[in-house]
């Protein structure tokens, strides 16, 4: 039996003070020695340090030492990020927090001359009033995190790696290709920096154009966990067979799910009926993941690490093993399923009058795709559930829609691309996803349930993870005002900024091209949403309290909200643990990071598919829209398809051009030719690289000698398709 700590045992605050003030890295041994601990007190210290680490108060560094949570260790690895004259700045190589990493000032010494941007150093860290200062201990070699993903090519001068990251414009000289072959996707370990850097192949990943390769590139590039350990899979199988326990029986109600036609899991079901007072009763039933995934379990740890599911055109990296995500938790029709039910009382104006939450048992009558539901409502096809189920749901939604219109959330209505593949993983079509009223029905019911969850937990004084979207910063609003001024339009900076202000701004523009320009600029003005235990409201939805509750199969944030509701309403096992409540800020940071990681991976994969689709059109003229204007050229997106490619400034013509940052325009000083955001142009597609997702365009009348000269330079890109080379020769 472990003895209680003695009276001289240090408190959390004393341990934190010692760690921060210690001139060198402090571990358990140093802390124990400083406070004169012996015997059982050392065991108690070990337990306390683990608890403090779990709470995010401290973090483990190298050699089992500790440093303040959210800060930097006394000794750590940094990467040089910028060199400006005599000033060097670096950032920590490993940083998992949602907030940006600290910018560290590097003290120059005799090693200064050997340091370049991108170099890695081992440094001793001092925390000062102005941030962090690093003293170089030594320069160190490349790590596995510096490994570069790309495709091997070979020419007369040797082996090269064509980077999969389109931001990297130069190929890497490969000194050791191992047994890899030309055209293979490989991982190369990089040594050195700048033009003299080289690499060696450390892993072969196969054919870069094989089915699913684009998604696998993104998974590897972003470090997304995609394989579950055996113990997690075993535990998921066991959890899937759990009895559902005592629940409110709602099986008599005709619940339905409405999802995309290709959905593999169904985590939300809905039902609505008219009330006697002219309002509506509705239930949003969400898969009860908290019953199957208990805090601290192997499944829970794996789910938290992933943070969310990641959706690619050809595969899904799920947050939960398939035994749960596609089976036990999925609300399949004609099967008894456990849910956490949000019971809503909606008045005739669409306001939420009251709500309650219960663990319930439901039996969905059908899993319906959006298109089928819309066709039934529009009268385009008959459906047995139209009058008894769909019509009441639609009428209740009309009330919610009235409340939404009155609230006036941000309405950008931006197009979403969908990639269609055949059975062999080849692209058959890229089109803009249609947005139906059926989509808005489900979205508005989910928003209502999310609001109810947040307000319910606030009433119960429970910790929760909010979904936060803060108002635009003053700096971005000034940029928008400058942009509008350049178009001859006004945007008053002194007004109270609400989403409706942006909606009204866009509504008063009749010109469709100008409207598209302004919509894109308004989008750039918005901040990025994130998760936090502190409520700062949701600007975009015009809501004061908002949490994610409706997708616990694919988002860890929703699982935490479920657990908080189970605990607050005393609904049985699987509620929020004390440890989770204490470490909620740290978890919110982590899942904000995993969400951004997933978005970047999904976007990069779509770009690669678009480039592969357009590769057959290299050399042709395409219709495109200018999406961004910079000092080095234009970025344009192909109409109806997407992608984002560069039109270099050098290809716009022989005259000099002026870039106006406020107006976001490029103007020719001799001819007055002007390029601006939203402008439609005919462009020649010069390059479409499926490996990096990069596109490059030129004006149709660009002189051909310029094209030939550029092809003679070592571009480091895969050769043009054979039919394109023939096309160029004919011209």
């Amino acid at each position: 039996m472990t003895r209680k700590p003695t009276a001289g045992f240090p408190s959390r605050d004393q341990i934190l003070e010692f760690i921060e003030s210690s001139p060198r890295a402090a571990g358990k041994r140093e802390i124990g020695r400083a406070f004169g601990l012996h015997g059982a007190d050392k065991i108690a210290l070990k337990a306390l340090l683990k608890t403090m680490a779990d709470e995010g108060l401290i973090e483990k560094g190298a050699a089992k030492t500790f440093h303040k949570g959210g800060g930097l260790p006394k000794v750590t690895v940094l990467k040089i990020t910028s060199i400006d004259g005599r000033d060097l700045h670096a950032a920590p190589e490993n940083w998992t927090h949602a907030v940006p990493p600290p910018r560290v000032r590097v003290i120059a010494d005799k090693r200064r001359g050997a340091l370049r941007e991108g170099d890695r150093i081992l440094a001793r860290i001092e925390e000062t009033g102005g941030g962090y200062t690093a003293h170089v201990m030594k320069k160190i070699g490349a790590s596995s995190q510096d490994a570069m993903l790309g495709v091997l090519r070979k020419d007369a001068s040797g082996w090269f790696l064509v980077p999969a990251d389109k931001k990297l414009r130069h190929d890497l000289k490969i000194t050791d290709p191992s047994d890899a072959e030309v055209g293979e996707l490989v991982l190369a370990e990089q040594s050195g920096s700048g033009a003299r850097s080289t690499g060696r192949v450390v892993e072969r990943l196969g054919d870069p154009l094989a089915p699913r390769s684009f998604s696998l590139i993104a998974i590897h590039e972003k470090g997304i966990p995609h394989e579950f350990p055996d113990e997690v899979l075993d535990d998921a199988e066991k959890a899937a067979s759990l009895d559902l326990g005592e629940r409110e029986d709602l099986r008599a109600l005709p619940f339905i799910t409405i999802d995309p036609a290709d959905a593999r899991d169904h985590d939300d079901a809905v039902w609505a009926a008219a009330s006697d007072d002219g309002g509506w009763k509705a239930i949003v039933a969400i898969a009860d993941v908290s019953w199957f995934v208990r805090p601290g379990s192997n499944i829970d740890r794996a789910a938290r690490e992933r943070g969310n599911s990641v959706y690619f055109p050809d595969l899904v990296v799920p947050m939960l093993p398939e035994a749960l995500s596609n089976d036990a938790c999925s609300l399949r029709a004609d099967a008894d399923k456990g849910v956490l039910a949000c019971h809503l009382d909606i008045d005739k104006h669409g306001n939420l009058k009251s709500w309650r939450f219960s663990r319930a048992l439901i039996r969905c009558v059908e899993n319906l795709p959006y298109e089928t539901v819309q066709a039934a409502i529009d009268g385009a096809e008959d459906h047995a559930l139209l009058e008894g189920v769909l019509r009441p749901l639609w009428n209740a939604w009309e009330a919610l829609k009235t409340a939404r219109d009155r609230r006036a959330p941000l309405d950008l209505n931006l197009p979403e691309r969908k990639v269609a593949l055949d059975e062999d993983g080849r692209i058959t079509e890229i089109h803009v996803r249609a947005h139906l009223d059926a989509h808005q029905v489900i979205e508005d019911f989910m928003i209502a349930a999310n609001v109810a969850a947040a307000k319910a937990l606030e009433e119960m004084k429970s910790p929760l993870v909010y979904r936060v979207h803060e108002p635009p910063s003053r700096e971005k609003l000034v940029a928008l005002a400058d942009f509008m001024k350049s178009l001859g339009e006004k945007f008053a900076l002194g007004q109270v900024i609400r989403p409706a202000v942006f909606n009204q701004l866009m509504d008063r523009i009749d010109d469709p091209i100008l409207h598209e320009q302004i919509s894109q600029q308004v989008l750039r003005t918005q901040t990025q949403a994130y998760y936090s235990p502190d409520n700062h409201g949701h600007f975009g939805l015009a809501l004061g309290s908002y949490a994610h509750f409706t997708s616990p199969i694919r988002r860890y944030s929703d699982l935490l909200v479920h657990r908080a509701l189970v605990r607050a309403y005393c609904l049985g096992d699987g509620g929020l643990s004390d440890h989770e409540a204490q470490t909620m800020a740290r978890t919110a940071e982590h899942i904000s990071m995993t969400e951004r990681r997933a978005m970047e991976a999904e976007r990069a994969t779509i770009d690669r598919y678009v480039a592969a689709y357009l590769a057959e059109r290299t050399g042709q003229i395409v219709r495109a829209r200018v999406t961004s204007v910079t000092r080095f050229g234009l970025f344009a997106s192909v109409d109806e398809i997407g992608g984002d490619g560069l039109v270099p400034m050098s290809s716009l013509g022989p005259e000099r051009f002026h870039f106006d940052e406020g107006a976001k325009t490029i103007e020719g000083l001799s001819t007055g030719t002007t390029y601006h955001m939203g402008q439609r142009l005919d462009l020649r597609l010069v390059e479409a690289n499926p490996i990096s997702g990069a596109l490059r365009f030129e004006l149709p009348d660009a002189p051909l000698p310029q094209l030939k000269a550029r092809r003679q330079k070592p571009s480091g890109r895969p050769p043009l398709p054979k039919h394109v080379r023939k096309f160029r020769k004919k011209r």
Side-chain angles (χ1 to χ4, degrees), residues 113-352:
L115 292 178
R116 298 182 179 182
E117 192 171 321
D119 282 351
R120 297 168 68 243
I121 58 171
L122 184 66
R124 180 171 55 82
I125 304 296
E126 285 184 1
E127 187 171 1
T128 61
Y132 292 96
T133 299
H135 299 270
V136 179
M137 297 171 67
K138 66 176 180 178
K139 180 181 174 182
I140 55 180
S143 70
S144 59
Q145 294 205 354
D146 289 323
M148 187 183 293
L149 193 68
V151 175
L152 274 185
R153 71 173 180 88
K154 187 180 182 182
D155 60 24
S157 59
W159 290 85
F160 294 88
L161 184 83
V162 183
D165 186 347
K166 61 183 175 184
K167 295 178 184 176
L168 302 176
R169 298 290 179 182
H170 303 286
D171 296 351
L172 178 68
K173 172 75 174 176
I174 297 296
T175 56
D176 179 10
S178 186
D179 54 353
E181 299 177 0
V182 171
E184 274 194 316
L185 182 68
V186 299
L187 193 67
E189 188 178 78
Q190 186 176 358
S191 300
S193 60
R196 296 183 179 180
S197 62
T198 60
R200 65 182 187 88
V201 173
V202 294
E203 187 175 353
R204 298 172 64 185
L205 301 174
D207 181 0
L209 300 180
R212 297 190 172 188
S213 284
F214 294 154
S215 299
L216 293 175
I217 289 172
I219 287 169
H220 195 103
E221 196 173 48
K222 300 298 179 183
I224 296 172
H226 65 289
E227 293 182 353
F228 288 107
D230 290 341
E231 61 268 20
V232 173
L233 296 174
D234 292 342
D235 287 357
E237 293 286 349
K238 294 173 185 175
S241 63
L242 281 174
D243 182 89
L244 293 176
E246 293 289 331
R247 293 174 178 269
E248 181 179 6
D249 194 343
L250 301 177
R251 287 177 292 182
L253 299 179
F255 282 92
I256 58 171
T257 67
I258 306 177
D259 292 294
D262 57 355
R264 297 177 62 190
D265 56 65
H266 310 281
D267 52 10
D268 55 85
V270 289
W271 167 87
S275 299
D276 295 337
D277 61 1
W280 302 91
K281 299 286 186 185
I283 302 176
V284 178
I286 307 299
D288 191 0
V289 176
S290 63
W291 181 258
F292 300 96
V293 182
R294 303 296 172 87
S297 65
N298 287 329
I299 311 171
D300 181 47
R301 283 192 290 271
R304 184 187 182 281
E305 180 188 16
R306 295 178 178 221
N308 43 256
S309 298
V310 189
Y311 294 86
F312 298 108
D314 49 10
L315 62 86
V316 176
V317 179
M319 185 180 80
L320 300 173
E322 288 194 8
L324 297 175
S325 61
N326 293 349
D327 188 6
C329 296
S330 186
L331 305 182
R332 296 193 315 273
D334 301 321
D336 291 349
K337 293 292 181 177
V339 298
L340 192 56
C342 174
H343 303 252
L344 299 172
D345 188 1
I346 306 167
D347 70 17
K348 61 182 179 182
H349 304 295
N351 302 309
L352 296 183

Side-chain angles (χ1 to χ4, degrees), residues 551-703:
S551 295
I553 289 178
R554 64 184 180 89
R555 290 190 306 228
Y556 196 78
S557 59
D558 304 53
L559 176 55
L560 287 175
V561 170
H562 276 231
R563 287 173 177 167
L565 289 165
V566 168
R567 174 171 167 167
Y569 280 85
C570 301
L571 298 178
D573 297 335
L576 193 74
S577 68
D578 290 339
H579 168 65
E580 287 181 301
Q582 293 162 355
T583 59
M584 194 163 281
R586 189 175 183 183
T587 301
E589 286 183 1
H590 172 72
I591 60 179
S592 295
M593 179 275 292
T594 61
E595 179 188 51
R596 289 196 303 275
R597 179 178 68 186
M599 290 172 58
E600 290 169 1
E602 290 166 356
R603 190 181 302 120
T605 300
I606 293 290
D607 286 346
R608 289 185 174 100
Y609 270 110
V610 168
Y613 186 71
L614 289 172
E616 295 298 316
R617 298 172 64 177
T618 307
Q620 297 180 13
I621 305 300
V622 297
R623 189 68 171 167
R625 177 178 59 84
V626 177
T627 58
S628 180
V629 180
T630 70
R631 23 185 104 255
F632 50 84
L634 314 170
F635 282 92
S637 177
V638 179
D639 281 358
E640 308 299 328
I641 295 174
D644 213 26
L646 177 66
V647 186
M649 186 82 80
S650 58
S651 71
L652 297 180
E655 65 179 316
R656 292 184 61 191
F657 286 86
H658 169 68
F659 169 62
D660 187 326
E661 187 167 5
K664 304 296 182 188
T665 61
I666 291 176
E667 182 178 358
L669 297 182
S670 301
T671 64
T673 303
T674 302
Y675 300 97
H676 55 76
M677 284 171 50
Q679 185 175 5
R680 285 314 201 280
L681 295 172
D682 288 327
L683 298 173
R684 181 189 294 125
L685 179 62
V686 177
E687 179 185 3
N689 187 335
I691 308 306
S692 66
L695 304 176
R696 187 161 58 87
F697 303 103
E698 290 185 342
L699 295 179
D701 55 355

